[in-house]
Amino acid sequence: MAAICSLYIINKSGGLIYYKDYGSAGRMDTNDSLRVASLWHSMHAISQQLSPVSGCLGIDLLQADTFDLHCFQSLTGTKIFVVCEPGAQYMESLLKFVYELYTDYVLKNPFYEMEMPIRCELFDINLTQAVQKDRVAFLGR
């Protein structure tokens, strides 16, 4: 079973609008999480431009010795990425489900302003349930 270390949501401009730490070994402060989000947005954009494959949408998976980083980019440019243990499976399903939660609880919230940090209790509750439900138990999606 794969452990999710942290989850990020970045707006189309590269600004961090949501960050959640799920007990990773080295907790980051706010400035570090902002730097990670900004760095990922930049690497994602550069990879689109440098790719020899036409129509490349950027990096979907970054594998390292100690972690994997999985990314989902919506058609609007919003990026959701998760840092997890190496070899984690079904993260694409998780990211798509997180995007469904984002559209249902954040974008449909009449008090949410686009591109601003997410402060929506229903989103937090449902996201926590989804991640802790056997740490990605809804994998059959």
Side-chain angles (χ1 to χ4, degrees):
M1 184 166 21
I4 298 166
C5 299
S6 54
L7 182 132
Y8 299 78
I9 301 177
I10 306 172
N11 64 22
K12 63 183 174 188
S13 305
L16 181 64
I17 58 174
Y18 188 82
Y19 167 70
K20 183 75 173 178
D21 189 357
Y22 291 100
S24 58
R27 292 209 164 177
M28 294 190 297
D29 64 8
T30 304
N31 288 334
D32 289 338
S33 60
L34 288 168
R35 276 192 283 279
V36 168
S38 177
L39 179 64
W40 180 253
H41 176 75
S42 300
M43 286 176 43
H44 199 270
I46 291 169
S47 70
Q48 288 175 321
Q49 295 174 0
L50 294 179
S51 174
V53 179
S54 63
C56 177
L57 299 176
I59 303 170
D60 292 334
L61 172 63
L62 175 70
Q63 294 178 313
D65 293 338
T66 56
F67 69 92
D68 285 353
L69 190 150
H70 295 262
C71 182
F72 170 78
Q73 180 174 352
S74 72
L75 295 175
T76 60
T78 301
K79 291 177 205 59
I80 301 171
F81 68 94
V82 62
V83 178
C84 59
E85 290 181 349
Q89 298 180 0
Y90 310 110
M91 288 296 120
E92 290 176 21
S93 297
L94 172 68
L95 292 172
K96 288 178 183 175
F97 186 73
V98 171
Y99 184 68
E100 287 177 24
L101 293 175
Y102 172 73
T103 57
D104 286 344
Y105 295 106
V106 178
L107 295 182
K108 293 178 184 176
N109 182 345
F111 301 108
Y112 177 69
E113 294 182 37
M114 293 298 292
E115 308 297 319
M116 297 303 292
I118 298 170
R119 288 179 175 64
C120 179
E121 187 176 352
L122 283 175
F123 176 72
D124 283 332
I125 290 168
N126 285 283
L127 180 62
T128 300
Q129 287 176 352
V131 170
Q132 290 181 350
K133 191 185 252 183
D134 250 351
R135 291 281 211 187
V136 191
F138 50 84
L139 305 177
R141 293 180 136 243

